[in-house]
Each structure stands twice: as C-alpha cells, then as structure tokens.
C-alpha cells in the first residue's frame, strides 16, 4: 500500500487515531481497520500471522506525502474541477478558507469543496447551491490524499498573502469594535444610573 491509495477521509481518520492516546497494538488495529475497510471487531479476531501481513503494508506511513497537483479530482463516480484561477474568487471563498484553515486536516474535505466545482462530462455544472456544499464536501472525502494536498499546497500561500493584505483592515475593524464596546458600556451605565430612562425638564 502507498499514500496514493489513501483517501482524504481515511487520512482524517488516521489523524484522529493519533489523538486517541492508544498503545501501539490498539493504534495498529485501528489503522488496519481504517485502511483496509474492516471493522475494529473484525481486526481483533484476526490471527497474528494475518495481522503481520497487514502491518507489512503500513511501511508507507513512515514516508512523507508527495502532493500532486491535478486539475480534476475523481471521487467514486464524481469528478470535481479545481478552480485555480483564484483572482476571480469571490471574497466569500477567502472567508470560508480562513474558517476551515483553522484545522486544515479535519476540514480538508470542506476546503476542497471551497476550491472545486462538480463537473458533468468535463463541463462545470451550473453554480452550486449552498445546500450542495455539504454534499460535495462529503463526496470529496473520497479524493486521493496526495491530490488533495496538491490543491491545499497551491492555495495555502494565496490565503496567507491575502490575510497579510487585509491585515490593516482587520486591525481597523478590531479598533472599531473596541470603540463600539466602550460606547455600549457607557450607554449601559447611563441607563442604570437613570433607572432605565432619561428625565426631561421643561
């Protein structure tokens, strides 16, 4: 087995195994379950010799993933074209990127959904509905991890540069928010001091 045989969904599950605090035997069993499509109970019933054969195929996990840039991602019967023309992206895509980049492994399928469009016989389908986003993201879990990382490797510097460009604006918004908070606090204190209403004199 090699990284080119691993999907985005499987990679995400492997990452979760690393957070579970398992011992070596338990972690190996969970890994075999994820990569070879067995339930954890099925793995636990395997003979040691069979487990050994599976373990021999896990050596690739010690190697690095080599990102492969593709214009089309294949996901179990569905094709998704990658939108590399980022200069035409609406601002909303950068906002989504910022949110999902906070945990790019757990959200990798969502990031792919941001950067791709479903294809129909090589042609981009009409603009997807918002309700399609979750469906597309779920399908993209079946994308190859090397190709997915190739997409991420392309867009991450773009995202980083945009954040630098927008930094002055972000700082301005933060300062404006602080001012609004001070105004709100002052207004609250004022209302409390006047029992919730102002008294006018004629």
């Amino acid at each position: 087995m090699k990284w080119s045989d691993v999907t985005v969904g499987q990679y995400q599950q492997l990452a979760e195994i690393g957070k579970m605090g398992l011992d070596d035997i338990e972690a190996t069993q969970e890994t075999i379950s994820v990569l070879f499509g067995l339930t954890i109970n099925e793995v636990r019933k395997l003979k040691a010799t069979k487990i050994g054969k599976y373990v021999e195929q896990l050596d690739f996990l010690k190697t690095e993933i080599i990102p492969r840039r593709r214009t089309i991602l294949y996901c179990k019967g569905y094709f998704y074209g990658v939108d590399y023309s980022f200069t035409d992206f609406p601002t909303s895509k950068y906002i989504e990127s910022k949110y999902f980049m906070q945990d790019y492994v757990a959200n990798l399928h969502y990031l792919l959904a941001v950067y791709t469009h479903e294809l129909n016989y090589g042609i981009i389908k009409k603009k997807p509905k918002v309700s399609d986003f979750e469906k597309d993201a779920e399908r993209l879990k079946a994308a190859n991890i090397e190709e997915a990382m190739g997409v991420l490797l392309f867009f991450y510097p773009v995202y980083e540069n945009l954040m630098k460009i927008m930094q002055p604006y972000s700082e301005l918004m933060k300062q404006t928010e602080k001012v609004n908070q001070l105004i709100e606090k002052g207004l609250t204190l004022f209302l409390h001091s006047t029992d919730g209403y102002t008294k006018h004199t004629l």
Side-chain angles (χ1 to χ4, degrees):
M1 198 170 192
K2 47 191 181 297
W3 279 118
S4 58
D5 299 317
V6 178
T7 66
V8 168
Q10 288 174 318
Y11 181 74
Q12 291 171 323
Q13 290 179 71
L14 292 176
E16 287 302 311
I17 291 172
K19 301 175 184 177
M20 293 167 65
L22 304 175
D23 61 33
D24 291 345
I25 293 177
E26 292 171 328
T28 299
Q29 290 176 334
E30 292 285 348
T31 300
I32 291 172
S33 173
V34 167
L35 294 179
F36 297 99
L38 303 172
T39 67
I40 191 63
N41 287 332
E42 288 173 334
V43 174
R44 288 170 180 165
K45 292 177 182 177
L46 293 174
K47 294 181 179 180
T49 52
K50 186 65 175 178
I51 288 286
K53 290 181 179 179
Y54 279 124
V55 171
E56 288 175 2
Q57 299 181 61
L58 301 181
D59 281 347
F60 77 95
L61 294 173
K62 302 173 185 176
T63 64
E64 293 183 2
I65 297 175
I66 300 176
R68 291 186 290 155
R69 183 175 168 183
R70 294 285 187 270
T71 55
I72 296 176
L73 302 179
Y74 175 72
C75 312
K76 285 188 177 179
Y78 298 95
F79 294 88
Y80 284 84
V82 184
D83 301 328
Y84 286 113
S85 56
F86 60 87
T87 53
D88 297 328
F89 274 12
T91 307
S92 60
K93 289 204 173 190
Y94 291 106
I95 295 172
E96 291 168 343
S97 293
K98 180 180 179 181
Y99 177 77
F100 293 127
M101 280 286 188
Q102 295 177 65
D103 188 344
Y104 74 87
V105 174
N107 295 324
L108 184 51
H109 57 306
Y110 287 119
L111 286 166
L112 292 177
V114 171
Y115 302 138
T116 63
H117 280 103
E118 186 184 354
L119 300 178
N120 188 4
Y121 300 106
I123 302 172
I124 294 179
K125 285 190 173 182
K126 62 182 180 180
K127 188 175 180 181
K129 300 176 183 176
V130 175
S131 59
D132 292 337
F133 184 80
E134 285 288 344
K135 179 179 68 178
D136 290 334
E138 193 62 29
R139 287 177 181 171
L140 284 158
K141 285 184 177 181
N144 174 268
I145 187 60
E146 290 182 338
E147 296 176 359
M149 286 301 186
V151 174
L152 188 65
L153 188 65
F154 175 84
F155 282 105
Y156 189 76
V158 174
Y159 159 77
E160 284 287 283
N161 288 333
L162 181 75
M163 291 302 104
K164 289 178 183 177
I165 292 171
M166 294 183 69
Q167 190 65 32
Y169 175 75
S170 298
E171 290 301 322
L172 176 61
M173 291 302 292
K174 287 179 183 178
Q175 292 302 320
T176 302
E177 185 178 354
K178 287 181 182 178
V179 171
N180 288 337
Q181 288 175 349
L182 288 172
I183 293 174
E184 185 178 353
K185 184 177 180 181
L187 181 60
T188 300
L189 289 172
F190 173 75
L191 290 175
H192 280 306
S193 67
T194 57
D195 295 323
Y197 62 92
T198 55
K199 299 176 181 178
H200 298 279
T201 54
L202 297 177

